[in-house]
Amino acid sequence: MLLLALDTATPAVTVALHDGADVVASSSQVDARRHGELLLPAVDRLLAEAGRRLDAVTGIVVGVGPGPYTGLRVGLMTADTFGLALGVPVHGLCTLDGLAYAADLSGPFVVATDARRKEVYWARYADSRTRVGDPAVDRPADIADQVAGLPAVGAGALLYPDAFPDAHAPEHVSAAALASLAAERLAAGEELPAPRPLYLRRPDAQVPKNYKVVTPK
C-alpha cells in the first residue's frame, strides 16, 4: 500500500504519503490564496523526499471538506485526475474527521474550522475517531449552547473564543492525519466514502443579477 493524501479545504495545502504502516513523508503550507499554485509542486517534492515514483501510489485520499468552494475543488479535481491517470481508487474523508483524529482527545469534543462570513464549519465527536451527526455551518453564537463545556479544536474554535473558550490545536488539518485515518479504516476492511465535496452552502462567487447584455449592432 502507498496512499497519497491531500487536502485543500482549509488555508493549509497539505500532502502526505502513507505506506500502510506509517507516514512516509508529509508537507503542509498555509496560504489560503495559492492552493492551485502550491499543491502539485508539494506532491513532486514529497515523492522526491520519499524516494518514490508517482506510479507506485496504490490509492488517493482526499479531504472532502466542508470548505470554501474554490479551495476545496482544487484538491478534489487533483485527486480525481491522479486516480484516473494511475488507475487507482480515490477515497474521500471529511476534513473535520482528520482534525479530530490529529487532536487525539479522549472524551467528547468539537471540531470547528473557519467558514468565513463570521461562520464556522463544525461537528461534534464522541472521540477522535467517532463523529456524532453530520457537519454543519453556523454562526458561533448560534451554537454556543450546543458546544458549551466541550473542548474544541480547529481554526474556527481559536477564532471565536466566546463560543469556544476551551480551544486547542491543531488549527488546520494535516494530510498525514487523513492518510493515517484512511489506512487504519482500510486495514479494518471499511469502505471509505466517495470523494464528493461537502460545500454546505453556495459559492461566494455569483453571476451578477440583472447585468447589462451588450450585443454588437
Side-chain angles (χ1 to χ4, degrees), residues 58-148:
T58 60
I60 311 295
V61 179
V62 60
V64 299
Y69 179 84
T70 302
L72 183 54
R73 67 179 180 174
V74 170
L76 288 164
M77 291 302 296
T78 301
D80 281 343
T81 301
F82 279 144
L84 287 171
L86 298 172
V88 299
V90 181
H91 309 291
L93 280 180
C94 176
T95 297
L96 302 183
D97 291 356
L99 268 162
Y101 187 83
D104 196 27
L105 296 177
S106 58
F109 65 98
V110 176
V111 174
T113 59
D114 183 14
R116 305 173 187 172
R117 302 183 191 176
K118 299 182 179 179
E119 294 179 330
V120 293
Y121 297 117
W122 70 285
R124 293 184 58 166
Y125 289 80
D127 54 53
S128 61
R129 292 170 174 80
T130 310
R131 176 160 34 89
V132 181
D134 294 327
V137 57
D138 289 289
R139 288 181 175 271
D142 294 340
I143 60 171
D145 290 344
Q146 299 179 59
V147 303

Side-chain angles (χ1 to χ4, degrees), residues 8 13 15 29 31-45 70-71 74-75 78:
T8 57
V13 179
V15 184
Q29 298 170 270
D31 193 327
R33 297 181 181 275
R34 299 174 64 207
H35 292 97
E37 181 180 345
L38 296 174
L39 182 57
L40 289 178
V43 173
D44 286 342
R45 286 196 309 272
T70 302
V74 170
T78 301

Side-chain angles (χ1 to χ4, degrees), residues 2 4 17 43-44 46-58 86:
L2 185 64
L4 171 62
L17 287 172
V43 173
D44 286 342
L46 206 67
L47 289 167
E49 177 186 332
R52 304 295 183 93
R53 291 170 53 91
L54 183 59
D55 58 12
V57 170
T58 60
L86 298 172

